Amino acid sequence: MDDKESLNMIQLKTLENIFAINLRSPVFVQLADLYYSKRQYDYAYKVCKIGMKQDPTNQLGKYILSKIYLIQNKIEKAEILLKEIIMENPYHLSAFLLLVPVMENLGRSKASIELYIKNIIMFYPKHSIILNYYQQYCKVVKNKPIHSKRKASKAQEQRPFTFHIKLATKTMYKLFIQQKKHLEAYELLKIMQ
């Protein structure tokens, strides 16, 4: 066992002890996140549910629970939590970056997705993924010939794929496959390695 792994084990045991002594402790977020990162999703789920009973407004807890719901294929429950987070904290980037693919997967209307994009772009006007979403859902191109749209879509296909490493999960991979975004799914697999 290397130093980093032994440090993680010590941290895990410490958090488990604190949480066992006091279920109201806010360390449930760190403990659930640690379980999640170790792919121990059942433990992460149980800790999150207990912690969220004690602190139902905890945004980090909601975010971790939404990721667990995605792992469990409870996509609508994840969407509800992500929307709650964004309503409470409209500049929560991670929740937004997870919400759009979830809404796409659930077949939500372009107009409903557009509302979220228009709100978040005010906080992150230069973020590449948000700009891509903005171009996809919000920009209206007028008086341009049809063939120029084809050129634009080819240019979009050639753009490098950027994705935050913490969102690189099997669930996101499945979402991309379901959306027939095979290039993004392939790039995500490379990140997950």
Side-chain angles (χ1 to χ4, degrees):
M1 190 181 308
D2 64 355
D3 290 338
K4 185 177 180 182
E5 194 173 320
S6 62
L7 185 62
N8 279 342
M9 288 302 293
I10 293 170
Q11 182 184 16
L12 178 65
K13 292 296 179 195
T14 303
L15 291 173
E16 286 174 338
N17 288 335
I18 293 169
F19 188 66
I21 292 169
N22 181 8
L23 296 178
R24 294 180 182 265
S25 173
V27 301
F28 83 90
V29 174
Q30 289 90 359
L31 182 58
D33 191 42
L34 196 55
Y35 282 138
Y36 184 88
S37 67
K38 292 180 170 288
R39 299 175 190 244
Q40 295 177 340
Y41 303 120
D42 291 338
Y43 289 135
Y45 176 77
K46 288 175 186 174
V47 168
C48 254
K49 288 302 273 187
I50 292 169
M52 293 300 296
K53 274 186 182 175
Q54 305 302 321
D55 186 4
T57 62
N58 189 302
Q59 290 182 2
L60 291 173
K62 286 181 184 181
Y63 179 69
I64 294 168
L65 188 56
S66 70
K67 293 192 312 183
I68 295 167
Y69 280 147
L70 289 174
I71 296 290
Q72 296 173 338
N73 204 27
K74 296 177 182 176
I75 299 171
E76 290 170 341
K77 285 186 174 187
E79 179 190 37
I80 291 167
L81 285 179
L82 292 168
K83 285 181 176 180
E84 283 179 18
I85 294 168
I86 292 173
M87 292 300 286
E88 296 164 3
N89 185 354
Y91 48 86
H92 197 291
L93 181 62
S94 298
F96 171 80
L97 292 175
L98 199 53
L99 178 63
V100 172
V102 166
M103 291 179 76
E104 288 174 340
N105 179 267
L106 292 171
R108 302 302 185 222
S109 72
K110 185 176 179 179
S112 63
I113 296 172
E114 181 181 350
L115 290 173
Y116 288 97
I117 295 168
K118 285 184 175 178
N119 286 333
I120 197 80
I121 200 155
M122 292 185 293
F123 299 108
Y124 303 99
K126 295 182 181 178
H127 193 281
S128 61
I129 296 172
I130 294 172
L131 287 173
N132 286 340
Y133 284 141
Y134 186 79
Q135 290 173 352
Q136 182 180 351
Y137 287 99
C138 303
K139 287 244 176 165
V140 178
V141 180
K142 296 182 180 179
N143 300 328
K144 290 215 172 185
I146 294 173
H147 69 287
S148 67
K149 289 182 182 177
R150 289 184 187 147
K151 288 180 184 177
S153 66
K154 286 182 183 177
Q156 285 178 340
E157 290 174 13
Q158 295 173 354
R159 274 191 217 142
F161 178 71
T162 57
F163 200 76
H164 193 278
I165 194 162
K166 286 190 176 184
L167 297 177
T169 62
K170 287 172 36 176
T171 304
M172 286 304 292
Y173 172 78
K174 289 177 186 177
L175 286 173
F176 282 139
I177 292 296
Q178 288 175 349
Q179 296 170 1
K180 298 187 185 324
K181 294 183 178 181
H182 300 289
L183 290 175
E184 288 87 350
Y186 175 72
E187 292 297 323
L188 186 66
L189 281 176
K190 289 199 292 190
I191 292 171
M192 288 170 57
Q193 285 181 340

